[in-house]
Amino acid sequence: MATTEERPLFSFGIIADVQYGDLDDAMNFTQTKKRYYRNALYLLREAVQHWKEENRIQFVLQLGDIIDGFNTRRKNSENALQAVLKEFQGVPFGLHHIWGNHEFYNFSRSYLMKSPLFTGPESQDIASNLKEVVKKEADAVYYDFSPYNGYRFVILDNYDISMCGIGRDKDSPQYKKAGEILRQMNKNEELNSPDGLFGVDRRFVLFNGGMGEEQLQWLRETLEVARQRGEKVVISGHVPVHPNSCYVMCLLWNYQDVLNILQDFSDVVLAYFSGHDHGGGYHFDSGNEIHHVTLPGVIEVPPGSNAFGTVDVFSDRLVMHGVGQLESRVMK
């Protein structure tokens, strides 16, 4: 008979980069991997059905890029969004949608704030109850929630500072700041090209973004409150923040700012989950004892496989049960 300790405290589902579109299969931007646009919807359906049948997860972290940017060329963004949202109708678990670059290729922030992809207001109990936490921007999509006593999840907005698509208004300070950063570091006419950039500097491309000072301050203060409460924290964003957890061209522009904060709160933070790099990746930062997990992208999974998982949370470990191309692992 299973003891209480052998049962998880709670569980959640995780998936990234579905990038559905009613489009024929095609090669990716770098012409290195095939993308299965229509099949991605079937894989999402399979994941949702799996979680329903498991009947044990409390919520799903959908790590961004749920539809593909090519939908805009066919003026099919709204139909594609409705198709993926339909797969979540009536599910017996909560949803937390993170915004990636493809959300902004399709929609403005003002549109997304009014859409079902905005899951921020559900449980910002820290921000509403504690004056010491910084007030957030009006169109921010970073927030925190506590699904179980002693545990807190933090959702980051990795495109706060960005020139991606139509997400930010071109007159906004965030868009202008992104332009300054990119043009200082990337001298190419095509800003999605890393030509002439080396090492981690290859991250300074248009499809990445950064986090502003207000959000960084909010993250620091939120983690400080979690520390005071004795909570353990799991952080998620679309873009990876550790260079050993992904291909460096997929890193957050100011990833070091985030790593510095995580280092200061290594006694609190358990893991950072992200997508964006479709090849996936994993790195255990042994100095801080923080797990950096980059999920493989569903969009590049061929028919017959998949890439999603269920994470069981125990008092001393996270156990990720991967399906298909997502590797299972125990994270102590």
Side-chain angles (χ1 to χ4, degrees):
M1 180 180 293
T3 65
T4 302
E5 181 59 26
E6 289 174 327
R7 299 191 185 97
L9 302 174
F10 65 97
S11 305
F12 62 94
I14 194 161
I15 193 168
D17 296 271
V18 175
Q19 287 185 219
Y20 166 69
D22 185 11
L23 305 160
D24 294 337
D25 297 347
M27 299 302 288
N28 63 1
F29 179 73
T30 56
Q31 301 297 301
T32 55
K33 293 279 186 72
K34 182 176 279 191
R35 294 185 170 177
Y36 305 89
Y37 294 103
R38 294 190 180 98
N39 186 62
L41 187 65
Y42 299 120
L43 298 190
L44 174 62
R45 184 175 302 158
E46 182 180 279
V48 172
Q49 186 60 34
H50 176 92
W51 289 318
K52 285 180 178 178
E53 292 174 358
E54 274 192 327
N55 193 31
R56 63 191 178 93
I57 67 167
Q58 190 168 334
F59 59 91
V60 164
L61 291 177
Q62 188 279 111
L63 295 172
D65 285 3
I66 198 167
I67 68 172
D68 194 85
F70 275 123
N71 286 292
T72 60
R73 298 190 181 186
R74 295 192 175 187
K75 302 187 185 305
N76 202 42
S77 299
E78 183 61 39
N79 289 337
L81 179 59
Q82 292 307 313
V84 293
L85 291 176
K86 185 178 179 181
E87 300 302 324
F88 292 110
Q89 284 182 357
V91 294
F93 45 77
L95 297 169
H96 292 275
H97 294 295
I98 293 173
W99 298 354
N101 48 311
H102 283 261
E103 273 74 26
F104 299 125
Y105 298 151
N106 285 281
F107 305 112
S108 67
R109 280 180 176 260
S110 59
Y111 178 97
L112 289 168
M113 292 288 289
K114 299 173 184 176
S115 79
L117 290 184
F118 181 58
T119 49
E122 293 179 358
S123 51
Q124 294 176 25
D125 51 305
I126 282 186
S128 61
N129 293 337
L130 294 164
K131 293 180 181 178
E132 61 263 36
V133 175
V134 69
K135 187 178 185 299
K136 301 184 340 183
E137 301 103 313
D139 59 354
V141 288
Y142 51 90
Y143 64 97
D144 63 278
F145 66 98
S146 178
Y148 187 88
N149 186 40
Y151 288 83
R152 186 157 301 279
F153 281 66
V154 170
I155 306 297
L156 297 181
D157 182 349
N158 295 148
Y159 289 89
D160 183 13
I161 306 297
S162 170
M163 295 173 67
C164 265
I166 57 174
R168 285 289 187 197
D169 188 284
K170 292 184 178 182
D171 292 326
S172 69
Q174 297 96 329
Y175 187 97
K176 292 177 180 178
K177 177 67 173 178
E180 292 172 6
I181 293 170
L182 267 185
R183 292 188 176 92
Q184 179 182 354
M185 299 302 300
N186 190 332
K187 304 304 181 183
N188 295 304
E189 184 176 346
E190 170 51 72
L191 290 174
N192 269 322
S193 170
D195 289 350
L197 300 174
F198 300 94
V200 293
D201 283 351
R202 290 173 67 83
R203 72 190 187 276
F204 290 107
V205 286
L206 188 63
F207 59 75
N208 291 330
M211 291 167 52
E213 288 300 323
E214 286 189 42
Q215 183 176 181
L216 293 171
Q217 177 68 6
W218 172 87
L219 174 60
R220 181 176 291 279
E221 296 192 18
T222 300
L223 293 178
E224 178 58 42
V225 173
R227 173 185 279 164
Q228 293 171 9
R229 291 180 170 181
E231 295 174 330
K232 299 175 182 179
V233 179
V234 173
I235 302 177
S236 296
H238 181 67
V239 184
V241 297
H242 201 292
N244 293 338
S245 70
C246 65
Y247 180 39
V248 293
M249 206 168 85
C250 293
L251 272 172
L252 189 76
W253 287 344
N254 57 336
Y255 74 90
Q256 192 61 58
D257 290 338
V258 179
L259 287 182
N260 290 343
I261 295 173
L262 300 192
Q263 180 176 354
D264 290 344
F265 291 92
S266 58
D267 58 319
V268 172
V269 179
L270 302 177
Y272 182 96
F273 289 96
S274 63
H276 198 44
D277 180 353
H278 296 173
Y282 171 77
H283 176 69
F284 175 60
D285 189 341
S286 57
N288 299 325
E289 297 190 337
I290 296 173
H291 302 270
H292 291 264
V293 183
T294 305
L295 267 70
V298 169
I299 182 63
E300 292 179 6
V301 175
S305 187
N306 211 320
F308 68 92
T310 298
V311 180
D312 290 332
V313 180
F314 295 86
S315 61
D316 64 342
R317 67 198 185 277
L318 304 175
V319 180
M320 185 163 65
H321 304 277
V323 175
Q325 295 186 9
L326 178 59
E327 184 178 347
S328 297
R329 64 178 73 249
V330 177
M331 297 174 281
K332 293 188 177 180

